[in-house]
Amino acid sequence: MKGTITDDLALDYLKNSFTSEDIDEFQNISAKYGFSLFAHEHKPQFINGPEIWFPQIAVILSHEVMQSIVCGLATNALYDWLKVLLLSIQIKLKANLKNRPFYHVSNGEMKETTPSVHIVIEQNHIDLPVDMDQEKFEYCIDKAMETMKQLNECKKTYCIWDENTKTFKTFSYEESLRMNFSQKESSEK
């Protein structure tokens, strides 16, 4: 399906993450709630920078959808749609990981990894970890919806789930860069 200016959401995903039947299901879920979804598959790529800046799977909200959330005009149907869609994406990803694992290359080593799903709102990224049970993932989605309302669409931010506090920690672009380098330094020691 070709993307249009009127699509409410774009799903950008790493090749082989989903089957064509999965994508049809995501589009049917969207249509059921009165929204449209554009799906785009991208090839694996080597990145030189913090992984958080390059999501393997991104759910990109249109400007109109983002504005309705930030301005408090979003309907329950919008929240229900996003929640059902994100849960469906998590279920399909977890099922597909058994046959098609994701890999991460660091310090010359290739390791199997679990992807996360980024909700992208303008310059903001909310990083939803996929490797949790459905109940926790639902809770995480609810917290993501709360976080969305507080985002500043003009400043680039990254929201990362903190399992200890059960909240999203928000980092600026610069803070995420510093965090990535400190994690890299500590892993090299």
Side-chain angles (χ1 to χ4, degrees), residues 166-183:
K166 305 285 189 248
T167 60
F168 282 96
K169 289 192 174 184
T170 304
F171 300 93
S172 69
Y173 177 82
E174 295 80 11
E175 290 169 326
S176 71
L177 185 60
R178 271 188 243 115
M179 182 179 68
N180 181 68
F181 284 122
S182 11
Q183 286 175 347

Side-chain angles (χ1 to χ4, degrees), residues 92-140:
K92 296 294 182 185
L93 264 179
K94 284 176 88 170
N96 293 343
L97 279 173
K98 294 172 187 163
N99 301 321
R100 293 170 271 187
F102 282 71
Y103 291 96
H104 164 81
V105 178
S106 181
N107 298 328
E109 292 182 46
M110 187 155 69
K111 298 175 185 171
E112 203 169 304
T113 187
T114 304
S116 59
V117 175
H118 284 221
I119 301 174
V120 181
I121 307 152
E122 297 287 325
Q123 296 189 65
N124 301 287
H125 288 238
I126 299 177
D127 185 11
L128 292 173
V130 173
D131 59 346
M132 57 176 55
D133 65 49
Q134 188 172 337
E135 188 176 310
K136 274 188 181 178
F137 193 74
E138 283 186 50
Y139 178 78
C140 199

Side-chain angles (χ1 to χ4, degrees), residues 10 13 18 36 38 48 52 59 62 69 76 86-88 90 95 101 111 124 146 153 158-159 162 166-167 172 182:
Y13 60 96
F18 303 108
S36 61
F38 166 69
N48 187 16
I52 192 168
V59 172
S62 72
I69 291 170
N76 287 343
L86 290 167
L87 281 169
S88 183
Q90 184 219 20
K111 298 175 185 171
N124 301 287
E146 290 173 20
E153 64 187 89
Y158 297 89
C159 302
D162 183 339
K166 305 285 189 248
T167 60
S172 69
S182 11

